Structures are given as structure tokens and as C-alpha cells.
Short mmCIF file of all heavy atoms in Angstrom, two decimals:
data_model
loop_
_atom_site.label_atom_id
_atom_site.label_comp_id
_atom_site.label_asym_id
_atom_site.label_seq_id
_atom_site.Cartn_x
_atom_site.Cartn_y
_atom_site.Cartn_z
N PRO A 1 -22.30 -115.16 -20.46
CA PRO A 1 -22.75 -114.62 -21.66
C PRO A 1 -22.11 -113.27 -21.89
O PRO A 1 -21.80 -112.54 -21.00
CB PRO A 1 -24.24 -114.57 -21.65
CG PRO A 1 -24.55 -114.70 -20.15
CD PRO A 1 -23.47 -115.24 -19.54
N PRO A 2 -22.09 -112.79 -23.26
CA PRO A 2 -22.52 -113.53 -24.48
C PRO A 2 -21.36 -114.64 -24.71
O PRO A 2 -20.25 -114.47 -24.59
CB PRO A 2 -22.50 -112.47 -25.46
CG PRO A 2 -21.57 -111.36 -25.07
CD PRO A 2 -21.53 -111.44 -23.51
N PHE A 3 -22.03 -115.76 -25.17
CA PHE A 3 -21.07 -116.91 -25.54
C PHE A 3 -20.48 -116.91 -26.81
O PHE A 3 -20.93 -116.44 -27.78
CB PHE A 3 -21.98 -118.15 -25.32
CG PHE A 3 -22.56 -118.35 -24.00
CD1 PHE A 3 -23.94 -118.28 -23.73
CD2 PHE A 3 -21.78 -118.73 -22.88
CE1 PHE A 3 -24.48 -118.43 -22.48
CE2 PHE A 3 -22.29 -118.84 -21.63
CZ PHE A 3 -23.60 -118.83 -21.48
N THR A 4 -19.27 -117.40 -26.74
CA THR A 4 -18.45 -117.77 -27.96
C THR A 4 -18.54 -119.19 -28.20
O THR A 4 -19.02 -119.97 -27.23
CB THR A 4 -17.06 -117.39 -27.86
OG1 THR A 4 -16.43 -118.10 -26.75
CG2 THR A 4 -16.88 -115.91 -27.45
N GLU A 5 -18.10 -119.77 -29.27
CA GLU A 5 -18.06 -121.22 -29.34
C GLU A 5 -17.32 -121.85 -28.20
O GLU A 5 -17.86 -122.85 -27.61
CB GLU A 5 -17.52 -121.70 -30.65
CG GLU A 5 -17.53 -123.13 -30.93
CD GLU A 5 -17.03 -123.61 -32.27
OE1 GLU A 5 -16.66 -122.84 -33.06
OE2 GLU A 5 -17.21 -124.86 -32.51
N GLU A 6 -16.16 -121.38 -27.88
CA GLU A 6 -15.33 -121.87 -26.81
C GLU A 6 -16.07 -122.01 -25.46
O GLU A 6 -16.04 -122.84 -24.72
CB GLU A 6 -14.03 -121.21 -26.74
CG GLU A 6 -13.08 -121.69 -25.68
CD GLU A 6 -11.73 -120.93 -25.65
OE1 GLU A 6 -11.54 -119.90 -26.29
OE2 GLU A 6 -10.90 -121.35 -24.79
N SER A 7 -16.66 -120.75 -25.13
CA SER A 7 -17.32 -120.59 -23.79
C SER A 7 -18.63 -121.46 -23.71
O SER A 7 -18.95 -122.00 -22.69
CB SER A 7 -17.60 -119.12 -23.48
OG SER A 7 -18.38 -118.57 -24.24
N ALA A 8 -19.32 -121.60 -24.94
CA ALA A 8 -20.58 -122.30 -24.91
C ALA A 8 -20.12 -123.77 -24.63
O ALA A 8 -20.78 -124.61 -23.86
CB ALA A 8 -21.23 -122.21 -26.23
N LEU A 9 -19.06 -124.29 -25.33
CA LEU A 9 -18.57 -125.62 -25.15
C LEU A 9 -18.26 -125.82 -23.72
O LEU A 9 -18.52 -126.95 -23.15
CB LEU A 9 -17.38 -126.05 -26.05
CG LEU A 9 -17.73 -126.20 -27.49
CD1 LEU A 9 -16.49 -126.22 -28.37
CD2 LEU A 9 -18.40 -127.63 -27.59
N ALA A 10 -17.47 -124.86 -23.20
CA ALA A 10 -17.03 -125.07 -21.67
C ALA A 10 -18.38 -125.17 -20.75
O ALA A 10 -18.46 -125.93 -19.85
CB ALA A 10 -16.24 -123.80 -21.28
N LYS A 11 -19.42 -124.30 -21.14
CA LYS A 11 -20.70 -124.44 -20.38
C LYS A 11 -21.30 -125.82 -20.44
O LYS A 11 -21.89 -126.31 -19.44
CB LYS A 11 -21.63 -123.27 -20.82
CG LYS A 11 -22.72 -122.92 -19.81
CD LYS A 11 -22.04 -122.18 -18.56
CE LYS A 11 -22.82 -121.12 -18.00
NZ LYS A 11 -22.22 -120.61 -16.83
N VAL A 12 -21.26 -126.34 -21.62
CA VAL A 12 -21.92 -127.61 -21.91
C VAL A 12 -21.18 -128.67 -21.11
O VAL A 12 -21.71 -129.65 -20.44
CB VAL A 12 -22.08 -127.98 -23.29
CG1 VAL A 12 -22.46 -129.34 -23.61
CG2 VAL A 12 -23.01 -127.00 -24.03
N ARG A 13 -19.85 -128.71 -21.19
CA ARG A 13 -19.00 -129.59 -20.43
C ARG A 13 -19.22 -129.57 -18.92
O ARG A 13 -19.30 -130.58 -18.26
CB ARG A 13 -17.49 -129.51 -20.59
CG ARG A 13 -17.05 -129.91 -22.14
CD ARG A 13 -17.03 -131.40 -22.40
NE ARG A 13 -18.28 -132.01 -22.61
CZ ARG A 13 -19.03 -131.91 -23.65
NH1 ARG A 13 -18.65 -131.24 -24.70
NH2 ARG A 13 -20.29 -132.47 -23.74
N ALA A 14 -19.31 -128.27 -18.43
CA ALA A 14 -19.54 -128.13 -16.99
C ALA A 14 -20.90 -128.68 -16.53
O ALA A 14 -21.08 -129.42 -15.49
CB ALA A 14 -19.48 -126.71 -16.60
N ALA A 15 -21.98 -128.52 -17.39
CA ALA A 15 -23.37 -129.07 -17.11
C ALA A 15 -23.21 -130.57 -17.19
O ALA A 15 -23.74 -131.31 -16.23
CB ALA A 15 -24.35 -128.52 -18.10
N GLU A 16 -22.57 -131.17 -18.12
CA GLU A 16 -22.47 -132.66 -18.27
C GLU A 16 -21.75 -133.10 -16.94
O GLU A 16 -22.32 -134.21 -16.45
CB GLU A 16 -21.58 -132.95 -19.44
CG GLU A 16 -21.49 -134.49 -19.64
CD GLU A 16 -20.69 -134.81 -20.84
OE1 GLU A 16 -21.15 -134.79 -22.00
OE2 GLU A 16 -19.43 -134.99 -20.87
N ASP A 17 -20.65 -132.54 -16.57
CA ASP A 17 -20.03 -133.07 -15.40
C ASP A 17 -20.83 -132.98 -14.12
O ASP A 17 -20.81 -133.93 -13.34
CB ASP A 17 -18.82 -132.20 -15.22
CG ASP A 17 -17.67 -132.52 -16.27
OD1 ASP A 17 -17.73 -133.53 -16.97
OD2 ASP A 17 -16.56 -131.66 -16.26
N ALA A 18 -21.56 -131.92 -14.03
CA ALA A 18 -22.39 -131.81 -12.83
C ALA A 18 -23.55 -132.80 -12.81
O ALA A 18 -23.79 -133.38 -11.77
CB ALA A 18 -22.90 -130.38 -12.83
N TRP A 19 -24.22 -133.03 -14.05
CA TRP A 19 -25.25 -133.83 -14.03
C TRP A 19 -24.83 -135.39 -13.71
O TRP A 19 -25.50 -136.19 -13.17
CB TRP A 19 -26.09 -133.87 -15.23
CG TRP A 19 -27.09 -132.67 -15.29
CD1 TRP A 19 -26.74 -131.30 -15.34
CD2 TRP A 19 -28.51 -132.77 -15.23
NE1 TRP A 19 -27.90 -130.59 -15.30
CE2 TRP A 19 -28.96 -131.53 -15.29
CE3 TRP A 19 -29.36 -133.87 -15.25
CZ2 TRP A 19 -30.33 -131.20 -15.23
CZ3 TRP A 19 -30.71 -133.61 -15.20
CH2 TRP A 19 -31.21 -132.26 -15.18
N ASN A 20 -23.61 -135.63 -14.29
CA ASN A 20 -23.11 -136.96 -14.08
C ASN A 20 -22.61 -137.29 -12.67
O ASN A 20 -22.48 -138.45 -12.29
CB ASN A 20 -21.93 -137.17 -15.04
CG ASN A 20 -22.32 -137.70 -16.37
OD1 ASN A 20 -23.31 -138.37 -16.58
ND2 ASN A 20 -21.70 -137.25 -17.34
N SER A 21 -22.51 -136.17 -11.85
CA SER A 21 -22.22 -136.42 -10.36
C SER A 21 -23.41 -136.96 -9.68
O SER A 21 -23.31 -137.50 -8.57
CB SER A 21 -21.93 -135.01 -9.76
OG SER A 21 -22.91 -134.25 -9.56
N ARG A 22 -24.73 -136.81 -10.35
CA ARG A 22 -26.01 -137.19 -9.66
C ARG A 22 -26.17 -136.55 -8.23
O ARG A 22 -26.79 -137.15 -7.38
CB ARG A 22 -26.03 -138.70 -9.58
CG ARG A 22 -26.07 -139.31 -11.03
CD ARG A 22 -26.30 -140.79 -10.98
NE ARG A 22 -25.33 -141.54 -10.35
CZ ARG A 22 -24.31 -142.26 -10.90
NH1 ARG A 22 -24.17 -142.27 -12.17
NH2 ARG A 22 -23.51 -142.85 -10.18
N ASP A 23 -25.59 -135.37 -8.13
CA ASP A 23 -25.65 -134.60 -6.85
C ASP A 23 -26.71 -133.55 -7.07
O ASP A 23 -26.34 -132.43 -7.78
CB ASP A 23 -24.33 -134.01 -6.50
CG ASP A 23 -24.33 -133.20 -5.29
OD1 ASP A 23 -25.43 -132.89 -4.68
OD2 ASP A 23 -23.18 -132.95 -4.65
N PRO A 24 -27.94 -133.57 -6.58
CA PRO A 24 -28.85 -132.53 -6.85
C PRO A 24 -28.53 -131.09 -6.32
O PRO A 24 -28.88 -130.23 -7.06
CB PRO A 24 -30.10 -132.98 -5.98
CG PRO A 24 -30.01 -134.44 -5.84
CD PRO A 24 -28.37 -134.75 -5.77
N GLU A 25 -27.75 -131.06 -5.29
CA GLU A 25 -27.37 -129.81 -4.77
C GLU A 25 -26.43 -129.15 -5.71
O GLU A 25 -26.49 -127.91 -6.09
CB GLU A 25 -26.71 -129.94 -3.34
CG GLU A 25 -26.28 -128.59 -2.79
CD GLU A 25 -27.52 -127.69 -2.45
OE1 GLU A 25 -28.64 -128.18 -2.26
OE2 GLU A 25 -27.36 -126.45 -2.59
N ARG A 26 -25.46 -129.88 -6.11
CA ARG A 26 -24.42 -129.39 -7.03
C ARG A 26 -25.04 -128.93 -8.27
O ARG A 26 -24.79 -127.77 -8.78
CB ARG A 26 -23.45 -130.44 -7.38
CG ARG A 26 -22.30 -129.96 -8.41
CD ARG A 26 -21.30 -131.10 -8.66
NE ARG A 26 -20.51 -130.65 -9.74
CZ ARG A 26 -19.69 -131.48 -10.33
NH1 ARG A 26 -19.45 -132.74 -10.03
NH2 ARG A 26 -18.91 -131.12 -11.32
N VAL A 27 -25.98 -129.62 -8.91
CA VAL A 27 -26.67 -129.25 -10.18
C VAL A 27 -27.51 -128.11 -9.86
O VAL A 27 -27.48 -127.10 -10.74
CB VAL A 27 -27.47 -130.57 -10.75
CG1 VAL A 27 -28.31 -129.97 -11.89
CG2 VAL A 27 -26.62 -131.60 -11.05
N ALA A 28 -28.26 -127.97 -8.84
CA ALA A 28 -29.25 -126.95 -8.59
C ALA A 28 -28.49 -125.69 -8.53
O ALA A 28 -29.06 -124.60 -8.81
CB ALA A 28 -30.14 -127.18 -7.35
N LEU A 29 -27.40 -125.52 -7.98
CA LEU A 29 -26.62 -124.32 -7.83
C LEU A 29 -26.29 -123.59 -9.15
O LEU A 29 -25.92 -122.49 -9.00
CB LEU A 29 -25.32 -124.55 -6.96
CG LEU A 29 -25.55 -124.78 -5.50
CD1 LEU A 29 -24.18 -125.18 -4.86
CD2 LEU A 29 -26.29 -123.68 -4.78
N ALA A 30 -26.44 -124.26 -10.28
CA ALA A 30 -26.11 -123.67 -11.55
C ALA A 30 -27.24 -122.95 -11.99
O ALA A 30 -27.17 -122.18 -13.05
CB ALA A 30 -25.78 -124.74 -12.55
N TYR A 31 -28.43 -122.86 -11.30
CA TYR A 31 -29.71 -122.28 -11.73
C TYR A 31 -30.00 -120.98 -10.89
O TYR A 31 -29.61 -121.04 -9.67
CB TYR A 31 -30.82 -123.20 -11.67
CG TYR A 31 -30.56 -124.41 -12.66
CD1 TYR A 31 -29.92 -125.62 -12.17
CD2 TYR A 31 -30.79 -124.34 -14.01
CE1 TYR A 31 -29.50 -126.57 -13.01
CE2 TYR A 31 -30.55 -125.47 -14.78
CZ TYR A 31 -29.94 -126.54 -14.31
OH TYR A 31 -29.57 -127.51 -15.19
N THR A 32 -30.61 -120.12 -11.44
CA THR A 32 -31.10 -118.95 -10.55
C THR A 32 -32.09 -119.39 -9.50
O THR A 32 -32.72 -120.54 -9.70
CB THR A 32 -31.75 -117.87 -11.49
OG1 THR A 32 -32.91 -118.28 -12.14
CG2 THR A 32 -30.84 -117.31 -12.51
#
């Protein structure tokens, strides 16, 4: 942050890819 449209879209795609991996460790590392 601060996000632009391009960077916000990239963040959303990264989250979608991580969640679709169904890997709890990979997903959890994106959080504080």
C-alpha cells in the first residue's frame, strides 16, 4: 500500500492463486 488499481488487482490475483492452492501454510504467510 497505498494501492493503485493495478496493484490492488495484483493483490487480488495473488490471494486467489494462494487460496486455490489449498495450502494452509502458503495462505497463512500472507497475514500478519
